[in-house]
Amino acid sequence: MALTEFELIRAYFAHVGADRGDVLLGVGDDCALLRVPEGRELAVTIDTLVEGVHFLPGVNPESLGHKALAVNLSDLAAMGAEPAWVTLALTLPETDSEWLRAFSRGFSSLAERHNVRLVGGDITCGPLAISVQAQGFVGPGRSLRRDGAHVGDRIYVTGTLGDAGLALLAQQGRYDPKGYEEALAARLHTPTPRIEAGRLLTGIAHSAVDISDGLVADLGHICEMSGVGAKIYIEEIPLSPAVQAYREEGGGWDVVLYAGDDYELCFTLPPRKEALLERLREQFKCPVTAIGDIVADSGVHCLEPDGNELSRIPSGYRHF
Ligand code: ADP
Ligand code: MG
């Protein structure tokens, strides 16, 4: 027999994520009651995943639970915030216990890893869509904003770029990933939010953004909001073995520069902070690589080693 809405909440969403002392009242009442630590600012973000737009029908529900949370934690990471609480609005076409158990498991294991608690939500009936709202803490004035880049800053990225875009090409049957299937699929379906990196960067970086719409598009947001431009030296961009293989076979730069979904951080910092970054390198839990410079000329310019600019209109995925 199908579960009622309340049985379903009790079974799959009442005990998700880490126990936290600052959750005075969690799932079950009209609102959650939460205590924000004295002297810290609250960072709040929300992202929605819609079936057919952000993921294909039939996608693994455990991965989907992970990803729905990961994309929001990635936004907190990009602000330098420490994640604390999340809420979850689920629109479901039906109540499938197997599916819900797997979704909840994927969501909860990532939540536990980052000491995050699910404190409330909503369930409605309709085409499958998942909204997660995440909240975290950051020290006063220490958040990593998009409007803080200065001319002369170095541009860095975490991890490697292009994997999620290449995974999408493979999924669409437009590329044969020969041996890299699993590595690529993991990057697309279970991205790693760069929480530790974001927190270490508070007080070091001038600006940051997470790469959800492609490097050029997201770095473009930093440039627009900071009133600056950027030069990217494309040969410096860190690539995984899978993307290197794709490039060696003649694949273009598009998956690296314009594809979304990598959920790495792109940040800028003044050259005087580079020594400090080096000292902290071990603590980042991922590579950090310099790929360019902030300049006065507006726009994001992708340069080949000979100094020629790659020509292409910057895009990034747009919904409208
Ligand atoms: P209300 O009608 O007062 O908004 P609901 O019946 O929607 O309350 O939800 C009952 C309780 O279950 C609330 O505390 C709500 O936050 C929680 N809840 C509902 N859906 C979810 C969900 N998907 N995940 C976590 N908590 C949920
Ligand atoms: Mg409700």
Side-chain angles (χ1 to χ4, degrees):
M1 208 182 66
L3 295 178
T4 68
E5 183 183 329
F6 300 102
E7 289 167 336
L8 188 155
I9 293 167
R10 208 171 311 126
Y12 303 117
F13 300 110
H15 308 284
V16 170
D19 280 326
R20 294 183 59 102
D22 53 12
V23 178
L24 308 179
L25 193 58
V27 169
D29 213 313
D30 295 310
C31 291
L33 292 174
L34 310 167
R35 187 184 286 128
V36 181
E38 195 129 353
R40 303 193 79 189
E41 292 173 359
L42 193 63
V44 180
T45 182
I46 185 165
D47 258 314
T48 299
L49 301 183
V50 178
E51 184 177 70
V53 178
H54 301 95
F55 60 91
L56 291 175
V59 76
N60 177 318
E62 186 166 353
S63 303
L64 192 59
H66 174 108
K67 186 161 179 175
L69 178 57
V71 300
N72 282 278
L73 296 186
S74 176
D75 280 323
L76 290 181
M79 293 305 282
E82 172 193 346
W85 313 308
V86 292
T87 56
L88 165 65
L90 263 181
T91 304
L92 300 171
E94 57 182 351
T95 57
D96 173 344
S97 300
E98 282 291 298
W99 192 95
L100 282 162
R101 186 175 306 121
F103 178 88
S104 171
R105 194 189 317 128
F107 194 102
S108 198
S109 73
L110 183 63
E112 279 167 26
R113 209 174 308 157
H114 292 288
N115 195 28
V116 165
R117 183 69 174 187
L118 178 63
V119 298
D122 195 23
I123 297 193
T124 51
C125 186
L128 181 60
I130 303 141
S131 288
V132 175
Q133 189 223 41
Q135 312 190 24
F137 313 135
V138 61
R142 288 174 64 86
S143 54
L144 305 172
R145 299 165 48 140
R146 295 179 178 188
D147 61 3
H150 296 265
V151 173
D153 279 3
R154 298 283 282 144
I155 302 167
Y156 282 78
V157 292
T158 61
T160 60
L161 299 187
D163 301 271
L166 192 54
L168 203 59
L169 284 187
Q171 183 175 297
Q172 293 164 343
R174 291 160 63 197
Y175 176 66
D176 172 7
K178 291 180 289 291
Y180 294 112
E181 285 87 350
E182 278 181 30
L184 287 174
R187 288 294 310 267
L188 180 61
H189 296 300
T190 53
T192 305
R194 300 300 191 189
I195 296 292
E196 293 82 7
R199 294 188 64 194
L200 285 166
L201 288 169
T202 61
I204 304 176
H206 272 159
S207 69
V209 69
D210 70 322
I211 303 175
S212 56
D213 294 327
L215 173 67
V216 170
D218 289 312
L219 178 56
H221 296 317
I222 287 185
C223 290
E224 265 167 45
M225 295 187 70
S226 302
V228 297
K231 279 185 185 169
I232 300 173
Y233 312 115
I234 53 178
E235 294 288 346
E236 308 290 327
I237 299 174
L239 305 180
S240 67
V243 175
Q244 274 171 32
Y246 170 75
R247 290 272 312 137
E248 279 157 20
E249 290 162 23
W253 283 104
D254 280 27
V255 296
V256 176
L257 297 174
Y258 303 105
D261 262 0
D262 278 321
Y263 297 100
E264 296 295 348
L265 299 183
C266 175
F267 58 94
T268 79
L269 52 80
R272 67 188 150 78
K273 291 284 170 78
E274 285 187 302
L276 179 55
L277 184 71
E278 281 309 316
R279 285 201 294 281
L280 295 174
R281 190 174 275 281
E282 293 298 302
Q283 296 174 45
F284 272 79
K285 295 195 180 171
C286 60
V288 286
T289 311
I291 61 160
D293 294 299
I294 294 293
V295 295
D297 275 354
S298 68
V300 176
H301 306 278
C302 300
L303 305 179
E304 296 183 280
D306 59 9
N308 282 338
E309 187 169 345
L310 268 191
S311 57
R312 169 162 168 175
I313 309 298
S315 58
Y317 186 84
R318 283 172 186 259
H319 287 272
F320 300 106

